[in-house]
Amino acid sequence: MILPNLGRKKLTKKLRFDYFKKIYRKMEREKRKLKRTAKPPSTMGEGGPPRKRTKLCESSCKLRVAVDCSFDDLMTERDVSKLTKQVQRCYTLNRNLEQPLQLHITHLQDKTYRRLENIIQGYKNWDVHRHYNPLTDVFPTSQIVYLCAESDNVLEELRDDRVYVIGGFVDHNSHKGLAYQRAMEAGFGHARLPIDEFFTISTRKVLTVCHVFEIITHFSTGCSWSEAIRKTVPERKGLREKESDTEESEVVNADNLTGCEGVDINKEDAIASEEARSEEGLIEGSDDGAKKEACS
């Protein structure tokens, strides 16, 4: 019996598949086995067995950070989905710390609560402090420091007797300054991260929940504020480091050393000229008098 070309191709393909099927399955089994035995780098000790994760109750770090989920009614389902992913990122960062922070999630309700419970895999097994009550029912008002980009208070240190609250809110700038407004109305302490002290940002200074939490984790583990911010803030924010005060003062002084008619003078020559005039008694009184005498 002679098979047509199409029949021969199908038969050849089937025979080839049957021949290699056992080999393919063996390779897949090996891959799955390697995947099961492989450990993520964050849990591996240096040249030894996997590092055992520290539970919150056993952690020596007592610094408290809370995510306030009381903005649930102002977010769409899509924004709630983004928020829960950011909270999940916070949990992952904290879980991988050698001494994790005391992470709290407060005011779990409605959409945020349902999404965490039903969609985020493994949420029920998270080692976090869950609270279904408002922030003020969990912590004393005097201990609360709400982190707001609009605050005039600069966060300089982290204290164990305070709880640092991050607003669990994704709004794409439709409710600008709402967290700061609520903190003021509730009488909470408030502060902002010291971003302006070290950097300039070409976009808004408002960061995501997980970025704020990551900066705090870096600072709590020994990094300086500038280093913690530099490690965390994404490039799309246009983060640029500010010049040091000494560099700025040198630039200012150099700019001020100009002739009376606006012609630039060499800095060293100008200083030498000022000293010579001072010795001859031509310069007296304040710096303003010196400038007037030089120009007369």
Side-chain angles (χ1 to χ4, degrees):
M1 179 180 176
I2 300 176
L3 295 173
N5 287 339
L6 183 60
R8 284 202 301 272
K9 287 181 180 179
K10 286 185 176 180
L11 181 60
T12 303
K13 186 176 180 180
K14 184 179 184 306
L15 292 173
R16 188 184 297 114
F17 177 79
D18 291 341
Y19 177 77
F20 287 107
K21 182 168 64 175
K22 293 182 178 180
I23 299 175
Y24 288 149
R25 287 185 175 177
K26 184 177 180 181
M27 291 171 62
E28 288 298 324
R29 285 195 297 270
E30 291 295 329
K31 283 182 181 179
R32 287 195 294 268
K33 186 177 179 180
L34 288 172
K35 190 175 180 179
R36 285 195 301 269
T37 55
K39 301 295 181 182
S42 58
T43 63
M44 293 295 290
E46 296 182 1
R51 175 176 60 82
K52 183 181 178 181
R53 289 194 176 99
T54 307
K55 296 180 180 179
L56 292 191
C57 60
E58 300 172 352
S59 175
S60 61
C61 180
K62 302 305 177 185
L63 181 64
R64 296 173 296 173
V65 179
V67 179
D68 179 17
C69 299
S70 63
F71 303 90
D72 191 273
D73 57 325
L74 299 175
M75 292 187 291
T76 64
E77 288 291 346
R78 184 177 181 181
D79 291 337
V80 170
S81 174
K82 292 180 180 179
L83 172 63
T84 52
K85 288 178 180 178
Q86 292 178 24
V87 173
Q88 185 177 24
R89 172 64 177 161
C90 292
Y91 167 70
T92 303
L93 288 168
N94 198 48
R95 180 185 63 172
N96 290 331
L97 291 176
E98 187 172 343
Q99 297 297 329
L101 282 61
Q102 302 301 314
L103 178 59
H104 297 256
I105 306 175
T106 67
H107 212 151
L108 284 167
Q109 58 179 342
D110 299 337
K111 292 179 284 188
T112 305
Y113 169 73
R114 288 197 303 270
R115 186 164 189 87
L116 286 170
E117 282 280 339
N118 302 324
I119 298 178
I120 301 299
Q121 187 176 7
Y123 164 74
K124 295 179 180 179
N125 299 321
W126 285 9
D127 186 17
V128 296
H129 302 287
R130 299 178 183 85
H131 307 281
Y132 304 96
N133 296 327
L135 196 63
T136 50
D137 291 350
V138 182
F139 306 107
T141 303
S142 59
Q143 295 182 3
I144 295 173
V145 178
Y146 221 107
L147 301 179
C148 315
E150 297 80 9
S151 176
D152 293 329
N153 304 324
V154 181
L155 188 64
E156 297 180 352
E157 60 177 354
L158 299 175
R159 296 168 49 181
D160 291 349
D161 61 347
R162 295 288 184 268
V163 53
Y164 299 93
V165 181
I166 307 170
F169 195 26
V170 178
D171 69 328
H172 309 287
N173 205 23
S174 59
H175 297 279
K176 186 176 179 180
L178 181 60
Y180 177 66
Q181 180 184 342
R182 287 195 178 183
M184 292 289 289
E185 291 173 353
F188 299 152
H190 52 83
R192 62 174 174 83
L193 296 174
I195 297 176
D196 289 340
E197 281 60 38
F198 303 102
F199 303 95
T200 58
I201 294 184
S202 57
T203 60
R204 285 189 67 208
K205 299 183 182 69
V206 178
L207 302 177
T208 62
V209 173
C210 50
H211 284 154
V212 175
F213 183 78
E214 186 172 355
I215 290 172
I216 292 175
T217 60
H218 286 315
F219 183 76
S220 68
T221 53
C223 292
S224 64
W225 280 120
S226 59
E227 187 179 0
I229 294 167
R230 191 186 302 108
K231 281 183 176 182
T232 305
V233 176
E235 293 182 0
R236 67 176 182 272
K237 284 285 187 180
L239 192 73
R240 292 194 307 170
E241 195 163 359
K242 286 185 176 180
E243 295 180 355
S244 64
D245 293 338
T246 54
E247 291 177 352
E248 290 179 356
S249 62
E250 288 177 0
V251 172
V252 171
N253 292 335
D255 290 342
N256 287 337
L257 293 172
T258 57
C260 298
E261 310 218 345
V263 181
D264 291 340
I265 300 175
N266 182 274
K267 185 178 178 181
E268 293 181 359
D269 292 341
I271 294 172
S273 176
E274 293 287 336
E275 291 176 351
R277 290 173 183 170
S278 178
E279 291 176 0
E280 295 174 3
L282 296 177
I283 297 180
E284 297 176 355
S286 63
D287 293 339
D288 293 337
K291 290 181 180 178
K292 290 179 182 178
E293 186 70 34
C295 294
S296 60

